[in-house]
Amino acid sequence: MHAQRFTALLPVLSIMTVVSVAWADPQTATGARALPAPPVPAIGRAWPVGTRPAVVRGWEPPASPYAHGHRGVDLAAAPDAPVRAVAAGRVSFAGRVAGRGVVSVELSATGWPPLRTTYEPVRASVRKGDEVAPGQVVGTVEPTGSHCARTCVHWGLLSGETYLDPLSLLPPWLRRSGPSRLLPVLGVPLP
């Protein structure tokens, strides 16, 4: 009798197991991310350090929330160099985390939750709640505490708990390197 009840419930239990796995971890059930990363508006108006700093280590998105990867970019920077806000926003954190100075800025007009940039290791010159303009100095590069071989600033971008490529905040004209060059026009007489 118990075997008959169990056999009758087997299809229901199988469906419940599949649904619970899909509900608990959509990435495992489907093999893909549950939600695509939100689009990032190119609202940046300044690099965090310098004019076009070298990218020491680029964006390497992790395959899953706890997998290996690089959740931001590392920009070459001299010790005590100014660190600037890339876009307008409000400082959501300015303090120390694990011995390093960190500044986080929630970017204005980027939806809910707002996009949030982080800079570290930075000696903050702003406080939580301060409004910042694009290019405004939010601190200076700390000479120690960098995870790079030489001094650098780790620049991150988050939407809620999802890490995004911070370079996508910069419009193409700001990311380009080198000056524009005019090439000769052939077949046009000189004035």
Side-chain angles (χ1 to χ4, degrees):
M1 178 148 173
H2 292 292
Q4 288 175 340
R5 276 194 223 160
F6 181 74
T7 305
L9 288 175
L10 195 55
V12 173
L13 291 173
S14 298
I15 291 171
M16 288 176 57
T17 302
V18 169
V19 169
S20 67
V21 167
W23 184 271
D25 188 1
Q27 189 168 6
T28 304
T30 64
R33 281 193 118 139
L35 296 173
V40 177
I43 59 172
R45 295 294 171 254
W47 282 90
V49 290
T51 52
R52 283 189 180 88
V55 176
V56 178
R57 184 173 178 196
W59 165 249
E60 298 167 21
S64 67
Y66 301 105
H68 291 287
H70 192 233
R71 293 157 175 84
V73 294
D74 293 337
L75 304 173
D80 299 318
V83 178
R84 302 179 187 286
V86 296
R90 179 183 302 263
V91 176
S92 59
F93 180 83
R96 304 205 64 78
V97 175
R100 293 184 188 162
V102 177
V103 174
S104 293
V105 177
E106 290 182 349
L107 304 179
S108 302
T110 57
W112 188 258
L115 294 177
R116 188 172 75 241
T117 59
T118 58
Y119 313 96
E120 67 172 277
V122 174
R123 188 179 308 110
S125 61
V126 291
R127 287 189 240 158
K128 182 178 178 177
D130 288 353
E131 294 285 334
V132 294
Q136 180 178 334
V137 174
V138 295
T140 57
V141 178
E142 289 183 337
T144 59
S146 177
H147 59 281
C148 300
R150 59 183 185 184
T151 311
C152 73
V153 168
H154 178 82
W155 176 30
L157 176 64
L158 292 119
S159 173
E161 298 298 317
T162 303
Y163 288 90
L164 304 169
D165 182 0
L167 291 175
S168 59
L169 282 172
L170 300 176
W173 62 266
L174 195 55
R175 288 192 310 243
R176 280 189 212 112
S177 61
S180 299
R181 296 170 105 177
L182 296 177
L183 299 175
V185 179
L186 302 175
V188 176
L190 294 173

